[in-house]
Amino acid sequence: MADVQRHVARFTNDSRIPGWDRAADLDKEPAVVPDAATTEVPAELRAAIEDGMRRFPIGDSAFIPALYAVQEHYGWCPPEGIEQAAAVLGRTPAALTAVATFYDMFEMEQLGRKSVYVCTNISCSLCGADELLEALEGELGEDPDVNVRGFECLGACDIAPMASVNGIYVGPIGLSEVPELARQIRQGDDPLPARQLVKRPSADPKVAEK
Amino acid sequence: MTDTLLFTNIDEPGLNTIDVYEARGGYKQLERALKMKREDLITELSGSGLRGRGGAGFPMGKKASFIPKGDMQKYVVCNADESEPGTFKDRELIQKNPHQLIEGVIIAAFAVDATITYIYIRGEYEQQADILDAAIAEARERGILGENIFGSGFNVQLELARGAGAYICGEETGLLDSLEGKRGNPRLKPPFPANEGLFNGPTLINNVETLSAIPSIIELGAEGYAAIGVKDSAGTKLISVSGNVERPGNYEVALGTSSREIIYGLAGGPVDGRKIKCWFPGGSSTPVLTADDLDVDFDYDSLEAAGSMLGSGAIIVVDETQSVVELAYKLAKFYSHESCGKCTPCREGTRWTFHMVERIKEGTATPMDLDIMAAVQEQITGHCLCVLGDAMAMPIGSLIAKFRDEFESEIEANRNERERKLAAEFAAAEVEIEGISA
Ligand SMILES: Cc1cc2nc3c(=O)[nH]c(=O)nc-3n(C[C@H](O)[C@H](O)[C@H](O)COP(=O)(O)O)c2cc1C
Ligand code: SF4
Ligand code: FES
């Protein structure tokens, strides 16, 4: 239960919507689009968001690329970053926040910049993923630069148990390799180079025969 | 010869670059297809018998034929969200042979007269997105994407869109909402995407593997492709095998191959000669089968007759040392986390199921809870907007039906364990009380 609540928050009466039971404040000013002329946006962030707007010119399709840009810039999605993106996109910060909170990969709290997603779904847990997560949390859990978290199936069950280290898929990871991997993550080295998914040949014997 | 279509040359270094792909005959089928009439192309796709590889198994050509004619803007969207637990075939195709997919997307776009196309890839596939992005850029540079491709007068754009971690964005209408920059909540159907999809325009949505198969269909012709596989299950299928097997990985087989051959012959069966307790034939959302079902042929109809589904074609093998309660726990946890929350039976049903499995683990459940759990699964099935709710209800329902004894004995064992612990705590507390009074 604790696990699920960490990801999908529940509020009064178990609702998934915070504040649903409070009356609307009719005296409050309506939410507005931040003023593009007065909101300061770091040049790099603006360029990244505008690139998304060029690639996805219709409707609000550039929201997700914009949120990625904010997360890249700040390491998470802070209110001021969302405000800046909203100014560039010409939408309200609330609209962006609503989208950001739906997706697992957008962090709404400041956590370590280095991400370590350990898959704990079925195939990986059949191969010892829960122990792997525990070991990695033991090694890196205290490190403020690292965000270690259990994750749903990452689409690499062939290398179970596995983890995605800053987007690089590695596995199968033996428990004895955890200290080495933790050291590489801390130092920003290439994680377990011999175990990286992109180097793995297909398992299909018919392919090898050809 | 029927063994590999999608996986031909798959491990050749550099196949992800346009030079190697073209040297192996790549983009030739696109050139041929562009010379065909649209109607003939759709007839060809229908005649091939290719069924959707994303989960539902809907005939691909038929779906393409639903796209209305006319001047409105039409779209093709490739579903590369691949989040169904156990499934990792699209990843291999994108990473190693991205141009095959691009070729398939363009042919599909030409068939339905769509000039704007998207590939929506799950956010976690960062390395694969980079590879695909580079391939798209190469194709653009060669004039394979853009205006008047191969002098045919046909224009087409392709853009790669990334998700950001949400299983439900694999559901086609959730995907469309996500692509429009919204929360990925599924839409009520009808209208189906073929009539009203992306930005309200007619939209053809297909899985990566479905679209990647199109160049082979053009090459072999509808009849040649239909000759592979069995009746109503034409062609080859990538099977992702994972869990407790010797050689996990993707295997390309003709549909209709025996499941035993795939699990034991190709993937090597469970380690240390263990027995199979159960297996999911098509990803974690399909009802489980047991060791008794190993001789079922792996095709759409045979698996359905055996009480399950082909789904995404991802086999998860569970050996005899594993606990079914643990499986139910992982399933319920996943689906309750991924429920988008739009409909009550799914949002609350997945959550209550999760709580009930937790009770079993804590030792506070009774055998009667199994009936309640089974009833909850029935109340979810068929009562939701999309099939995510069913995707949990089916496998959990099948686990309870097939392994009731095991659930009961685990409930019993955990209860006893808990009582022992409580009794020990109580005894320890009593000693203390006595100590005070003495
Ligand atoms: C909850 C849910 C998740 C889905 N996830 C995927 C997915 O990850 N990839 C996919 O191709 N189809 C997925 N589908 C199926 C799609 O809705 C759709 O049927 C499919 O993309 C159509 O393509 P096809 O006809 O080529 O199979 C999912 C469906 C549901 C209900
Ligand atoms: S069935 Fe579940 S995931 Fe699907 S729309 Fe309803 S609440 Fe959302
Ligand atoms: S279950 Fe871990 S990657 Fe699929």
Side-chain angles (χ1 to χ4, degrees), chain B residues 51-58 60 63 79-84 89-90 167-173 175 189 205-208 210-211 335 386-388 391:
Chain B
R51 292 173 66 170
R53 306 298 197 218
F58 195 81
M60 194 272 154
K63 191 144 77 176
N79 187 343
D81 193 63
E82 191 163 63
S83 315
E84 170 80 0
K89 63 194 175 67
D90 298 344
Y167 169 66
I168 195 58
C169 294
E171 198 282 335
E172 53 191 13
T173 57
L175 187 156
K189 292 187 266 193
I205 305 183
N206 276 118
N207 171 258
V208 170
T210 317
L211 291 165
Y335 290 101
C386 81
V387 295
L388 185 136

Side-chain angles (χ1 to χ4, degrees), chain A residues 1-5 7-8 10 14 16 54-65 68 95 97-99 101-106 115 117 120-123 125-127 130 149 151-160 164 166-169 196-208 210, chain B residues 3-4 7 10-11 75 85-88 91-92 95-96 118 122-128 133 159-166 168-169 178-185 199 242-244 248-252 266 284 316-318 322 327 330-331 333-334 336-341 347-348 351 354-355 358:
Chain A
M1 179 172 64
D3 267 344
V4 168
Q5 279 178 344
H7 298 309
V8 185
R10 292 267 180 164
D14 251 10
R16 301 218 301 199
R54 202 174 56 248
R55 285 163 68 121
F56 302 99
I58 322 178
D60 292 335
S61 288
F63 272 22
I64 291 181
Y68 270 120
T97 307
V99 173
T101 50
F102 187 83
Y103 298 94
D104 280 349
M105 289 175 70
F106 294 130
S115 68
Y117 299 161
T120 53
N121 213 300
I122 292 190
S123 297
S125 61
L126 289 171
C127 302
D130 293 323
R149 62 187 275 200
F151 218 84
E152 301 304 354
C153 177
L154 286 159
C157 329
D158 44 348
I159 53 166
S164 165
N166 299 316
I168 299 173
Y169 278 23
Q196 291 184 10
L197 174 76
V198 283
K199 298 181 184 157
R200 188 177 139 97
S202 159
D204 199 330
K206 297 185 296 300
V207 172
K210 285 217 154 190
Chain B
D3 279 1
T4 55
F7 264 8
I10 194 79
D11 272 333
Y75 303 89
T87 316
F88 45 89
R91 181 209 78 210
E92 193 120 43
Q95 182 184 312
K96 294 184 175 167
Y118 290 98
R122 65 180 298 187
E124 295 86 345
Y125 283 172
E126 290 180 40
Q127 292 173 296
Q128 289 72 20
D133 230 1
E159 208 53 77
L160 179 65
R162 284 182 67 199
I168 195 58
C169 294
S178 179
L179 203 47
E180 291 178 5
K182 304 179 186 137
R183 295 164 72 89
N185 290 321
F199 309 119
S242 67
N244 300 129
N250 285 310
Y251 298 95
E252 181 171 13
L266 293 169
S284 72
I316 306 171
V317 177
V318 182
Q322 307 287 346
L327 276 184
K330 291 284 174 184
L331 284 169
K333 179 162 172 280
F334 174 71
S336 67
H337 176 211
E338 299 296 338
S339 166
C340 83
R347 183 187 62 241
E348 302 304 327
R351 179 169 144 91
F354 178 67
H355 284 319
E358 261 199 335

Side-chain angles (χ1 to χ4, degrees), chain B residues 31 89 123 148 188 337 346:
Chain B
E31 216 178 330
K89 63 194 175 67
N148 189 19
L188 188 65
H337 176 211
C346 166

Side-chain angles (χ1 to χ4, degrees), chain A residues 41-191:
Chain A
V41 184
E44 206 185 284
L45 178 59
R46 179 186 291 280
I49 296 171
E50 285 174 351
D51 177 59
M53 293 167 76
R54 202 174 56 248
R55 285 163 68 121
F56 302 99
I58 322 178
D60 292 335
S61 288
F63 272 22
I64 291 181
L67 288 165
Y68 270 120
V70 170
Q71 181 146 305
E72 174 70 28
H73 188 82
Y74 292 99
W76 60 298
C77 296
E80 72 263 30
I82 294 205
E83 177 102 7
Q84 289 159 350
V88 179
L89 290 160
R91 296 289 192 273
T92 62
L96 271 166
T97 307
V99 173
T101 50
F102 187 83
Y103 298 94
D104 280 349
M105 289 175 70
F106 294 130
E107 301 291 357
M108 303 309 284
E109 280 164 46
Q110 185 157 24
L111 296 162
R113 233 179 204 281
K114 299 173 184 167
S115 68
V116 181
Y117 299 161
V118 182
C119 169
T120 53
N121 213 300
I122 292 190
S123 297
C124 284
S125 61
L126 289 171
C127 302
D130 293 323
E131 293 78 11
L132 174 64
L133 175 61
E134 203 175 301
L136 275 168
E137 273 177 343
E139 289 275 348
L140 296 163
E142 305 290 307
D143 192 329
D145 293 337
V146 188
N147 171 19
V148 186
R149 62 187 275 200
F151 218 84
E152 301 304 354
C153 177
L154 286 159
C157 329
D158 44 348
I159 53 166
M162 59 80 62
S164 165
V165 178
N166 299 316
I168 299 173
Y169 278 23
V170 281
I173 306 170
L175 287 181
S176 60
E177 290 165 311
V178 168
E180 169 75 358
L181 177 60
R183 189 190 55 74
Q184 289 162 334
I185 294 168
R186 255 184 252 114
Q187 299 183 347
D189 294 345
D190 206 19

